Amino acid sequence: SLVQLACNSSKTRSVSVDLNNDTALIIDIPDALCERDKVKFTVHTKTTLSSFQKPDFSVPRQHEDFIWLHDTLVETEEYAGLIIPPAPPKPDFESPREKMHKLGEGEATMTKEEYTKMKQELEAEYLAVFKKTVQVHEVFLQRLSSHPILSKDRNFHIFLEYDQDLTVRRKNAKEMFGGFFKNMVKTADEVIISGIKEVDDFFEQEKTFLLDYYSKIKDSTIKAEKMTRSHKNVADDYIHISATLSSISADDSTAIKKHFEKLADLFEKLRKVEGRVASDQELKLTELLRYYMRDIQAAKDLLYRRARALADYENSNKALDKARLKSRDIPQAEEQQQLCLQKFDKLSESGKRELTSFKGRRVVAFRKNLIEMAELEIKHAKVMLTMIYRCLFDNAYAIMKLALNVVTSRPFP
Amino acid sequence: MAEQTDYREPEPGRGEEFSPEAEPLNSNGQNSLLEEEEEEEEEGEDLFTEATEEVSLDSPERDVLLSDGPSPVTPPASLISPHLPHNHLYTHCSFDEMEEEDTPDLFDISILVSDPEKVGEGMNAYMAYKVTTQTSMSLFKSPQATVRRRFSDFLGLHGKLATRYLHVGYLVPPAPEKSIVGMTKVKVGKDDSSSNEFVEKRRAALERYLMRTAKHPVLLKDPDLLTFLECSELPRALSTQALSGAGILRMVNKAADAVNKMTIKMTESDTWFEEKQQKFENLDIQLRKLHCSLDSLVCHRKELSVNTALFAKSAAMLGNSEDHTALSRALSQLAEVEEKVEQLHQDQAGADFYLLAELLADYIRLIGSVKGVFDQRVRLWQRLQDSLLLLQKKRDAEAKLHANKPEKLQQARDDIREETEELEGKVQQGERDFEQISKTIRKELFRFEKERVTDFKEVIIKYLESLVQTQQQLIKYWEAFLPEAKAIS
């Protein structure tokens, strides 16, 4: 189905800190279109840089274009010492779509009202997934635009500016690069990283930390997701309970009628708030964890590249020794050794810088999101408390009224 | 000082309104509430004696419908206890004062089922529950009685009450269901949360069962119930297979079903019954649906609790791994908060279950009893129709005899006269039975509806209080966490 979304991205941005600090290049995704599974993002750029043809322009982009951009950056050797921002995950509407399907099958078992409410809930979920994917694509671009080196990347500029379909360029790029980095066996990276003899304390610590932290944060992401999903299930149950209480109340002719009516009303109000608690938790907690899990993977990739560079350097040393022994090809070997050493040093220097600022970024983001999550939890709980108190008093009032046999002329304030 | 009585015959068409000035229709010929009240206070005898004195042989209340057991004694139309103590009938309600104004209960009884204890080992093991009765009613030997009972004792009690009272239209509360799986786990000695939950569920159900039975003015005076509550030794109830709540109903309903299936539908002369039956059919369906949704809620909330606990552990590990000191501490605090939240969800799931879901389950079973007595009434009507048919046949035969051979066969005529008279008696009895059960059912449904209103109102309030509790705690926990999060630098 066609869903047009004009989303104000500054509101939904959550997991990273304000990235549009550098006013020379401001990027956002003001709207997106969803056709079946394909999402078309409108990437909007405002810039004062002369390297661009216009100061204000937009282009349509697909998810695959983002992936192309990410991959070209990863495969650029010049950037080997940088943490490349993780690629945004593919838009995944599987969960709401499956639920929508199940709902359609179970339509006969529920009242029209229930069905409508469930459908509304699912549409909201669909919308939430949509918003999330827009946000995550936007943040990716903003990470790039705020990076001193990556923001100048030529392919990045092409991505932002090129007003034709990028598909052709994407195909060409694949052929050009041949994926030298991807060809490496990535699954062995942890072994390689832990295997090297580390002389630098900083990197020794980082290595230990990142490897351990990655597995922990991955686990937390999964558990947080399960928790949020259970929460949504509870909110959905409130819909059915409210609907049935309503029908019982409609048929009832005793004093219970009013009580059930008010209880049905309460459950309906509560489920909306519970739904928001669940989605806020998802945004502030689950998405935060998920984002930094991927970011830490990117940091690990940096360590991996540095480890390979170190391995190359060690190999070049061995080759030099061999050359000296054989008294052959010594100058080539020396040159090779120098190159490797330079590369390794450059990676180490850049890597240290990147990893330090990464930690800072991470801490700031966690702080912001944890504060916001706690504030929202408190806010929602207070709202629900008010609703429940109201219902409690309405119920007690009804009993009191009955007991005192008093007929009031004005309604309960 | 006329206090609203809980049990009196309603005037036709009054419905379920609350009217404190109701005129008593006393079967014993007394019209005033006050008279009777004074009498009782003067004598100070126990209600049982007073009731037997008042019932005369000519009283239409005399019940000869039952073939076994003692006749249930119809109580005098007003039962008053001089003082209404607080909190007695509802053990954990904080809105009691208001409840009293609404439906002042006359039964000053509190029954608690507690301290489940496993007796014996292996497959012969069983759970013994402590049953404590506190009362000021003179019906009981002493104001407090404590006995130990096992589940089959409860079933035995229910069996006796059902056989005695269901047949004449009294709504005997059904006993809790047997559970082979649940009980086997307990016997085998599985001391895990699921068997603990099972025992707790059963304990609560037994308590509700006894209270509901005691609230019934007729059942309360049954000697077997009194024995159950007071005597330390009880003969072991055998063959409780057939005596489970469902079993009794099956017994009663089987006959009714058989009859219904083969004969014509009862011509209902009283629309009240037709209306009520339809209403209860609808209510049954709705309550089942609601119960189903609640089951789902309980399940999901328990899941939420488990997942929150898992997340809490994971967050703690993450906090340990975190190398930034302040963030590490905040993450550990987050883990602690989530652990507390997990307990909240667990508690709320308990309230969802023990308050709402179990109440609905009780009422679904009670409606089963209601259906049972309706069917029983139809069965009696059927019996009456059969007797009428036979009577008609005999009368026809008698007339034929008269017409054909006026003087001869005096003996035959005498015989037939005797048989006719016998059948006439049967018909009269059948009519009385039918009238009686119709009257009893009306009374019972009136009382049932009142009790339903009270029960649901009470539970709704308790449930709302549980929701309040949960939200208040959530606010507390997150407000304590907020400064920790802000402290990250």
Side-chain angles (χ1 to χ4, degrees):
Chain A
S1 62
L2 222 65
V3 175
Q4 180 112 27
L5 181 76
C7 67
N8 192 338
S9 53
S10 60
K11 287 206 196 105
T12 57
R13 195 187 317 137
S14 75
V15 291
S16 65
V17 291
D18 217 347
L19 288 173
N20 266 345
N21 274 331
D22 180 12
T23 49
L25 188 62
I26 299 179
I27 305 175
D28 71 327
I29 300 182
D31 63 71
L33 206 75
C34 185
E35 259 172 55
R36 284 174 200 283
D37 257 11
K38 283 254 174 265
V39 182
K40 277 201 169 69
F41 304 93
T42 304
V43 179
H44 169 242
T45 312
K46 244 166 66 180
T47 179
T48 56
L49 298 174
S50 53
S51 43
F52 290 95
Q53 288 177 10
K54 289 184 263 182
D56 196 321
F57 51 92
S58 295
V59 291
R61 290 287 178 251
Q62 296 175 42
H63 171 74
E64 285 71 24
D65 300 328
F66 288 77
I67 301 301
W68 164 81
L69 177 59
H70 172 262
D71 289 351
T72 61
L73 294 173
V74 163
E75 302 195 0
T76 307
E77 229 190 299
E78 220 178 291
Y79 304 145
L82 307 175
I83 297 179
I84 311 292
K90 194 168 161 139
D92 181 16
F93 295 97
E94 182 62 44
S95 171
R97 198 163 349 106
E98 205 185 298
K99 277 181 161 179
M100 193 68 98
H101 185 70
K102 273 207 192 115
L103 179 66
E105 285 182 344
E107 188 177 351
T109 65
M110 50 184 93
T111 65
K112 188 154 182 275
E113 209 185 292
E114 261 174 282
Y115 178 76
T116 313
K117 291 214 176 100
M118 292 291 293
K119 190 149 178 265
Q120 276 174 2
E121 271 307 297
L122 279 179
E123 282 168 359
E125 198 176 311
Y126 208 92
L127 197 68
V129 171
F130 191 43
K131 274 191 177 159
K132 241 191 319 178
T133 194
V134 166
Q135 176 200 27
V136 99
H137 283 76
E138 189 183 73
V139 164
F140 170 70
L141 295 176
Q142 289 169 342
R143 279 279 292 274
L144 294 176
S145 70
S146 60
H147 194 284
I149 297 168
L150 293 172
S151 61
K152 300 192 174 69
D153 182 80
R154 187 165 162 269
N155 284 310
F156 182 42
H157 285 211
I158 291 169
F159 176 92
L160 293 174
E161 220 179 6
Y162 189 63
D163 58 3
Q164 307 283 312
D165 194 349
L166 276 178
T167 328
V168 178
R169 288 198 78 100
R170 282 198 269 131
K171 278 217 206 94
N172 292 345
K174 269 213 177 95
E175 279 148 23
M176 240 167 63
F177 284 107
F180 90 93
F181 183 60
K182 286 223 171 110
N183 281 344
M184 296 185 179
V185 182
K186 278 201 83 186
T187 49
D189 66 353
E190 304 221 342
V191 179
I192 294 181
I193 294 175
S194 21
I196 59 167
K197 281 188 288 280
E198 191 54 72
V199 289
D200 190 335
D201 262 348
F202 173 82
F203 282 100
E204 180 62 38
Q205 273 182 344
E206 280 301 301
K207 180 181 72 183
T208 318
F209 168 67
L210 285 176
L211 286 181
D212 182 42
Y213 201 73
Y214 179 74
S215 67
K216 300 280 156 53
I217 200 172
K218 187 167 175 198
D219 185 59
S220 294
T221 309
I222 295 171
K223 301 275 158 68
E225 196 174 18
K226 276 206 177 123
M227 187 172 70
T228 352
R229 203 171 311 144
S230 300
H231 218 128
K232 287 211 183 103
N233 287 339
V234 169
D236 283 344
D237 284 330
Y238 279 12
I239 296 179
H240 300 296
I241 293 173
S242 172
T244 316
L245 283 170
S246 270
S247 358
I248 298 180
S249 159
D251 291 339
D252 196 281
S253 53
T254 69
I256 286 185
K257 190 191 186 71
K258 267 254 134 59
H259 294 281
F260 271 22
E261 218 175 271
K262 293 199 196 291
L263 197 61
D265 190 43
L266 177 67
F267 269 107
E268 171 56 25
K269 289 201 189 93
L270 287 180
R271 68 109 179 162
K272 288 204 177 109
V273 185
E274 287 283 10
R276 255 175 295 196
V277 171
S279 59
D280 283 343
Q281 211 180 63
E282 183 170 24
L283 220 59
K284 302 291 166 189
L285 191 62
T286 315
E287 284 309 303
L288 170 78
L289 293 169
R290 201 197 310 274
Y291 185 82
Y292 279 96
M293 175 185 81
R294 284 188 274 117
D295 229 355
I296 287 179
Q297 181 62 50
K300 273 168 64 184
D301 290 346
L302 168 58
L303 283 183
Y304 173 72
R305 292 193 288 271
R306 180 177 167 275
R308 285 226 56 113
L310 182 58
D312 287 345
Y313 173 60
E314 282 173 355
N315 288 340
S316 76
N317 269 338
K318 290 200 191 105
L320 181 58
D321 287 341
K322 230 180 15 198
R324 284 192 175 134
L325 262 164
K326 289 190 183 155
S327 301
R328 226 179 48 184
D329 298 321
I330 296 179
Q332 293 101 305
E334 277 178 346
E335 200 189 318
Q336 184 63 19
Q337 191 232 40
Q338 279 309 301
L339 274 171
C340 285
L341 182 59
Q342 268 168 29
K343 181 167 165 215
F344 176 68
D345 282 341
K346 183 165 165 238
L347 274 185
S348 297
E349 190 194 318
S350 159
K352 196 178 253 181
R353 229 184 3 249
E354 289 276 302
L355 287 169
T356 312
S357 80
F358 169 60
K359 189 188 304 290
R361 221 175 352 106
R362 190 181 82 244
V363 173
V364 170
F366 267 76
R367 179 179 187 277
K368 177 171 181 275
N369 282 279
L370 288 177
I371 292 174
E372 285 176 0
M373 182 175 78
E375 287 175 345
L376 284 166
E377 288 269 355
I378 295 167
K379 174 175 149 209
H380 292 317
K382 284 187 174 161
V383 165
M384 286 200 272
L385 194 59
T386 312
M387 291 172 178
I388 301 165
Y389 269 138
R390 181 65 195 254
C391 186
L392 198 53
F393 286 135
D394 281 349
N395 269 285
Y397 179 72
I399 294 170
M400 222 169 28
K401 199 169 116 176
L402 214 58
L404 301 174
N405 222 359
V406 169
V407 176
T408 52
S409 51
R410 60 181 172 86
F412 187 73
Chain B
M1 198 264 224
E3 295 195 276
Q4 173 64 17
T5 61
D6 196 29
Y7 193 80
R8 79 167 78 238
E9 301 179 36
E11 288 171 60
R14 200 171 5 123
E16 285 108 5
E17 298 160 35
F18 171 81
S19 27
E21 318 305 324
E23 192 83 74
L25 272 175
N26 198 312
S27 61
N28 298 319
Q30 289 180 327
N31 289 328
S32 161
L33 218 57
L34 289 164
E35 271 176 52
E36 206 149 37
E37 190 185 344
E38 277 162 25
E39 212 176 283
E40 187 178 323
E41 282 186 307
E42 269 171 35
E43 290 177 25
E45 285 181 46
D46 77 336
L47 284 164
F48 219 60
T49 338
E50 181 202 26
T52 18
E53 277 174 11
E54 308 240 346
V55 173
S56 71
L57 283 169
D58 293 330
S59 160
E61 309 310 306
R62 184 191 57 165
D63 235 12
V64 293
L65 292 170
L66 302 168
S67 50
D68 54 22
S71 343
V73 178
T74 319
S78 60
L79 287 167
I80 307 160
S81 78
H83 287 293
L84 198 53
H86 301 297
N87 271 359
H88 249 84
L89 216 48
Y90 309 103
T91 41
H92 311 287
C93 182
S94 58
F95 271 71
D96 260 29
E97 277 82 302
M98 295 191 189
E99 294 288 330
E100 281 166 27
E101 302 293 325
D102 186 10
T103 37
D105 277 282
L106 319 161
F107 299 96
D108 165 24
I109 273 194
S110 139
I111 304 178
L112 292 175
V113 175
S114 61
D115 303 303
E117 219 178 80
K118 187 166 159 199
V119 178
E121 284 303 323
M123 289 312 285
N124 288 325
Y126 63 89
M127 274 302 195
Y129 301 86
K130 188 160 92 173
V131 178
T132 312
T133 310
Q134 275 175 311
T135 177
S136 67
M137 294 175 81
S138 50
L139 202 57
F140 290 82
K141 293 194 197 120
S142 73
Q144 169 146 343
T146 305
V147 294
R148 292 204 78 83
R149 296 282 180 255
R150 55 185 290 187
F151 186 64
S152 52
D153 293 334
F154 287 82
L155 291 185
L157 170 69
H158 176 256
K160 295 203 181 88
L161 295 177
T163 13
R164 213 166 286 156
Y165 297 97
L166 261 183
H167 290 217
V168 287
Y170 288 103
L171 290 175
V172 178
E177 288 302 316
K178 296 185 102 179
S179 164
I180 301 173
V181 175
M183 208 43 218
T184 312
K185 270 197 198 167
V186 174
K187 284 187 212 238
V188 163
K190 268 192 97 177
D191 188 28
D192 63 354
S193 61
S194 74
S195 47
N196 287 340
E197 244 178 69
F198 170 78
V199 173
E200 172 54 27
K201 182 178 168 183
R202 175 160 279 189
R203 182 210 66 77
L206 291 173
E207 193 174 275
R208 290 194 310 272
Y209 165 69
L210 282 181
M211 278 305 281
R212 221 179 278 281
T213 308
K215 269 193 247 179
H216 194 298
V218 169
L219 298 179
L220 179 59
K221 297 184 20 245
D222 185 277
D224 278 312
L225 176 61
L226 296 169
T227 314
F228 182 91
L229 292 174
E230 290 184 310
C231 295
S232 44
E233 284 304 313
L234 210 63
R236 171 92 193 274
L238 303 161
S239 60
T240 54
Q241 281 289 340
L243 296 182
S244 71
I248 290 289
L249 278 181
R250 270 195 289 276
M251 215 160 74
V252 172
N253 290 333
K254 211 171 26 178
D257 280 337
V259 166
N260 282 344
K261 281 189 185 111
M262 17 180 233
T263 55
I264 40 173
K265 198 176 182 311
M266 165 175 174
T267 42
E268 186 59 76
S269 53
D270 193 344
T271 48
W272 187 91
F273 282 90
E274 216 174 291
E275 266 173 47
K276 285 293 175 189
Q277 218 158 344
Q278 190 56 49
K279 199 179 125 174
F280 278 103
E281 283 293 330
N282 291 342
L283 188 62
D284 188 35
I285 296 173
Q286 297 285 43
L287 288 183
R288 276 176 203 274
K289 188 163 181 231
L290 187 60
H291 185 254
C292 195
S293 304
L294 272 167
D295 256 353
S296 176
L297 176 65
V298 172
C299 186
H300 284 144
R301 230 198 271 274
K302 280 195 182 153
E303 239 175 61
L304 175 59
S305 171
V306 166
N307 288 338
T308 308
L310 289 174
F311 173 72
K313 286 200 188 73
S314 184
M317 300 260 281
L318 187 65
N320 283 341
S321 176
E322 175 64 59
D323 65 350
H324 186 275
T325 331
L327 180 56
S328 170
R329 187 169 54 236
L331 286 172
S332 304
Q333 296 288 63
L334 178 67
E336 270 181 46
V337 169
E338 295 288 1
E339 246 178 64
K340 295 196 192 124
V341 169
E342 168 223 341
Q343 189 56 47
L344 279 185
H345 288 311
Q346 184 75 7
D347 293 341
Q348 186 61 58
D352 293 341
F353 180 75
Y354 284 105
L355 290 176
L356 291 183
E358 286 287 76
L359 177 75
L360 289 174
D362 283 352
Y363 268 88
I364 290 168
R365 280 200 300 267
L366 275 168
I367 290 180
S369 288
V370 172
K371 288 187 185 170
V373 298
F374 273 126
D375 287 344
Q376 183 60 16
R377 177 173 170 269
V378 173
R379 186 169 168 238
L380 286 186
W381 180 83
Q382 204 55 57
R383 223 200 268 169
L384 177 61
Q385 302 310 307
D386 292 344
S387 305
L388 279 169
L389 212 66
L390 279 172
L391 180 63
Q392 193 55 45
K393 284 199 184 128
K394 265 290 176 289
R395 282 192 175 146
D396 290 344
E398 196 178 11
K400 242 194 194 164
L401 211 59
H402 256 275
N404 291 345
K405 300 157 191 206
E407 281 91 25
K408 286 198 209 171
L409 301 167
Q410 180 63 31
Q411 183 60 36
R413 278 168 48 201
D414 284 342
D415 283 343
I416 259 199
R417 181 87 297 258
E418 215 179 291
E419 285 165 11
T420 312
E421 273 168 16
E422 201 184 305
L423 281 174
E424 276 171 357
K426 260 214 179 114
V427 165
Q428 271 178 5
Q429 186 55 51
E431 281 171 346
R432 278 203 291 269
D433 290 350
F434 183 71
E435 245 179 71
Q436 182 56 42
I437 203 178
S438 301
K439 202 152 69 166
T440 307
I441 292 180
R442 276 180 188 269
K443 270 198 294 214
E444 286 290 276
L445 285 188
F446 180 71
R447 198 186 61 88
F448 176 77
E449 290 289 65
K450 279 195 105 186
E451 210 175 277
R452 182 163 78 97
V453 169
T454 316
D455 275 355
F456 275 88
K457 280 201 292 211
E458 180 197 342
V459 163
I460 287 175
I461 291 198
K462 278 193 203 167
Y463 183 71
L464 290 175
E465 287 175 343
S466 81
L467 290 179
V468 164
Q469 175 80 348
T470 301
Q471 296 306 320
Q472 279 177 335
Q473 290 296 101
L474 274 175
I475 293 173
K476 206 169 90 177
Y477 297 151
W478 287 110
E479 278 182 341
F481 174 73
L482 197 52
E484 290 294 336
K486 288 187 171 157
I488 305 171
S489 56

